[in-house]
Amino acid sequence: MAGPDVDRISSLVHQLLVELGEDPAREGLAKTPERVAKALAFLTDGYRADRKAVINQAVFTQDTSSMVIVKDIELYSLCEHHMLPFFGRCHIAYIPDGKVFGVSKLARLVDMYARRLQLQERLTEQVSRVVMDEIGAKGVGVMIEARHLCMMMRGVEKQNSTMVTSSVLGVFRDNLATREEFLTLVGKR
Ligand SMILES: [Zn+2]
C-alpha cells in the first residue's frame, strides 16, 4: 500500500499551527509541517505493513511444547482518542505445537500493530491473535504495561499510573497452571 500524502499532511499541519496561534513562517517552524508529516507517516506505517512480509519465513519447525517467553519488548504507539503516545513493554509467551518464531519477529509484529492509532486493549488482543494464528500455537499469553501521555500530560494527570492489559488464548485461557506460570515468568506473581 502506498504511504500517506506527505505534502498534503504538511499543509494541514501548517494550517494547524496557524489555528494554534503560531507563526509557521518563523525560523524554528519552517520545516515543522514536513517533519510532522513524515513522523506521522512512520508512526502509522503499521497500516501498510504486510504481515506475511514481516514474518518473512521466520517460523521454524521445532519439536517442543515448553513455554517460550519473550519479555520486555519495547512498545511505542499512539492512542486513538488523542493521537498522543503511549509507551511501555510487551511480554509474549506461547506454547508451540511444532512451530516457533524467530525471536526478533515477535518484536516486529508488536511494532506492526503498535504503529497505528490504537487502544491498548485492542493492541494486546491483536498481538496474541497473530501469534496464535501464524504458528498454530497451543496457547498464547500477552501482557502490555504502558503509560499514556494523554493521561500524564492532561486530564487527570496521573503521572505514575501504568495501564496493564493482558490477553490469553488456548491453554493459557483454559489451564490455570499455565496462566500462573506465565504471570510468574513476567514477574506478576
Ligand atoms: Zn488517549
Side-chain angles (χ1 to χ4, degrees):
M1 203 197 296
D5 185 333
V6 168
D7 289 342
R8 213 169 128 70
I9 298 174
S10 298
S11 71
L12 290 168
V13 174
H14 185 277
Q15 202 179 325
L16 180 63
L17 288 169
V18 173
E19 292 298 328
L20 293 173
E22 264 293 355
D23 169 15
R26 72 179 173 83
E27 197 186 343
L29 294 180
K31 289 196 182 301
T32 295
E34 190 188 336
R35 285 194 206 97
V36 172
K38 285 180 177 168
L40 285 174
F42 176 79
L43 296 175
T44 59
D45 72 4
Y47 288 124
R48 296 168 290 280
D50 172 1
R51 164 169 152 177
K52 295 287 173 200
V54 167
I55 295 165
N56 189 24
Q57 295 157 356
V59 169
F60 306 102
T61 304
Q62 197 165 327
D63 189 18
T64 173
S65 57
S66 311
M67 190 181 292
V68 175
I69 183 151
V70 181
K71 279 174 68 166
D72 294 325
I73 299 168
E74 275 182 62
L75 172 132
Y76 301 94
S77 189
L78 292 172
C79 88
E80 69 181 19
H81 296 142
H82 305 93
M83 292 178 70
L84 287 172
F86 64 95
F87 59 96
R89 292 174 188 282
C90 179
H91 315 296
I92 302 175
Y94 63 92
I95 294 184
D97 190 14
K99 287 182 190 170
V100 296
F101 276 107
V103 173
S104 67
K105 293 299 164 181
L106 290 174
R108 298 280 313 279
L109 283 172
V110 170
D111 283 344
M112 176 181 141
Y113 287 102
R115 286 192 198 142
R116 51 185 82 181
L117 302 186
Q118 272 290 10
L119 287 174
Q120 186 177 328
E121 295 90 332
R122 185 171 64 226
L123 174 59
T124 313
E125 290 271 327
Q126 285 171 332
V127 172
S128 64
R129 185 48 68 189
V130 71
V131 173
M132 192 78 176
D133 292 350
E134 286 295 333
I135 57 167
K138 287 179 183 160
V140 179
V142 173
M143 179 179 289
I144 293 178
E145 304 173 87
R147 302 176 76 189
H148 292 242
L149 288 187
C150 63
M151 280 180 73
M152 296 164 71
M153 295 178 72
R154 54 168 288 286
V156 288
E157 296 184 33
K158 296 270 186 253
Q159 270 81 7
N160 291 310
S161 57
T162 299
M163 182 166 168
V164 181
T165 48
S166 69
S167 170
V168 287
L169 299 173
V171 290
F172 283 69
R173 174 176 287 173
D174 303 334
N175 186 319
L176 181 63
T178 304
R179 196 160 63 236
E180 292 284 329
E181 185 183 351
F182 167 56
L183 292 171
T184 302
L185 288 169
V186 300
K188 293 294 150 190
R189 273 295 137 85

